[in-house]
Amino acid sequence: MSLEYYRWFFHRSPHGPGLCITARHGAETIAHQAIARHDLMMTGGDRIPAGQSSCLVVAPAYRGRGVFPRISAECFSFAEESGLDVVFFFQAGDVRSLPWYRRMGCIDLGVMPVVKRPLLPSRVAARKWGRWAGMAAKAGDFAWTLAHPLPGSDVILSPIDEFTQDFIFPTLGPEKGISTVRDPHYLNFRFREDPLRRYEILGATRGERKCGYVVFAVDRSHPDKWNLIDLSVAAGSEEAVLSSALREARRRGASAIYSWDSTNALMRRTFSGLEFRRVAGVHGRLLVWISRRRQDLRALSLEEWLLTMGDSDLY
């Protein structure tokens, strides 16, 4: 992580400056943990000061010596003193830290699988990559996409230069739930001003009406593999918007779309309807720390924490 990215992500959020904790042994910095501000909102409008824990690093020589639980405990204590009521974080791969997080009072809300939707590359994209010869290696996905075409849609996707309120819709979910605050200032900060990553930001329209937005992250080292990381969709347009987004990604060169499976039951059904498939052996976990002021939030289930991949920097 570059210093430029660090300063941007942790200190320039419209929701407030982040929190940073550093552990030192003599003159040596041995560990670091930071929380980036991103507030949450209960269904009905109750805004909750919150942040995403990220950038937890312990120097190799000090691992296994109790540094991790100490710095995390200090970080959560600092968060509570600073007025935060929730710290959420996604954990991928290593699960050895889970027992420590549980001892610190964090709630493990369970597994979030990674899903994939193979796409049939356009001829233009295939020529651009020089990938026709390599298609044999992807014969399984190639044959599958031929047999499973995307459904048609009347939604038009086009790039947007700036987020405005008319692209943002209420999170669809249970009667009682909690989701990240999505406002134009934060979305422009998170996706348009990122100094390191390339995003494809597409606005959705149906006739004369805006009906949502979709954000893809494109890995420069694998430009044909796109990550669906955030979307907001008008009620009743879920499948139409996502189907059009997949078609547009294919047109721009994507051969597969990846995403964390949604905790939102409606979006899970939409993923299923568009034949997203789970990627075997790849998943993350959603964990939350809750302050003593908001112990009522501990009763929420995974399905009521309506968080998406756009809320995490793990992609």
Side-chain angles (χ1 to χ4, degrees), residues 40-44 46 48 85-86 88 106-110 173-180 263 286-290 294-307:
L40 303 176
M41 183 169 288
M42 289 290 295
T43 303
D46 180 15
I48 301 168
D85 285 327
V86 174
F88 62 92
C106 296
I107 303 172
D108 178 8
L109 291 171
E175 205 170 295
K176 179 183 179 183
I178 187 169
S179 60
T180 49
T263 60
L286 173 61
L287 295 97
V288 294
W289 167 89
I290 299 172
R294 293 305 307 263
Q295 288 298 295
D296 57 302
L297 300 177
R298 299 183 76 88
L300 296 176
S301 66
L302 175 64
E303 288 73 22
E304 292 171 312
W305 288 89
L306 304 172
L307 304 180

Side-chain angles (χ1 to χ4, degrees), residues 131 218-224:
R131 291 284 180 88
V218 183
D219 185 344
R220 292 186 180 90
S221 61
H222 300 283
D224 61 320

Side-chain angles (χ1 to χ4, degrees), residues 5 129 131 191 194-200 217-227 315:
Y5 179 85
W129 309 327
R131 291 284 180 88
F191 298 121
D194 186 323
L196 298 182
R197 294 184 176 132
R198 179 190 172 200
Y199 292 108
E200 295 285 346
V218 183
D219 185 344
R220 292 186 180 90
S221 61
H222 300 283
D224 61 320
K225 297 177 181 179
W226 288 28
N227 299 303
Y315 50 84

Side-chain angles (χ1 to χ4, degrees), residues 108-126:
D108 178 8
L109 291 171
V111 170
M112 296 182 69
V114 171
V115 293
K116 170 188 177 182
R117 209 313 176 171
L119 302 174
L120 182 64
S122 66
R123 289 180 179 272
V124 172

Side-chain angles (χ1 to χ4, degrees), residues 3 88 112 130 157 164 168 177 204 206 213 217 235 238 249 288-289 302:
L3 182 60
F88 62 92
M112 296 182 69
L157 271 291
T164 55
I168 304 170
R206 207 170 199 175
Y213 70 83
E238 298 84 15
V288 294
W289 167 89
L302 175 64

Side-chain angles (χ1 to χ4, degrees), residues 6-7 13 28 33 44 57 70 75 78 80 109 135 140 154 168 226 247 257 270 296 313:
Y6 185 96
R7 287 172 172 167
S13 168
E28 183 181 4
Q33 185 170 2
V57 181
R70 289 183 62 186
C75 200
F78 186 27
E80 186 155 29
L109 291 171
M135 279 299 174
D154 60 346
I168 304 170
W226 288 28
R247 287 177 175 275
I257 302 297
T270 302
D296 57 302
D313 61 351

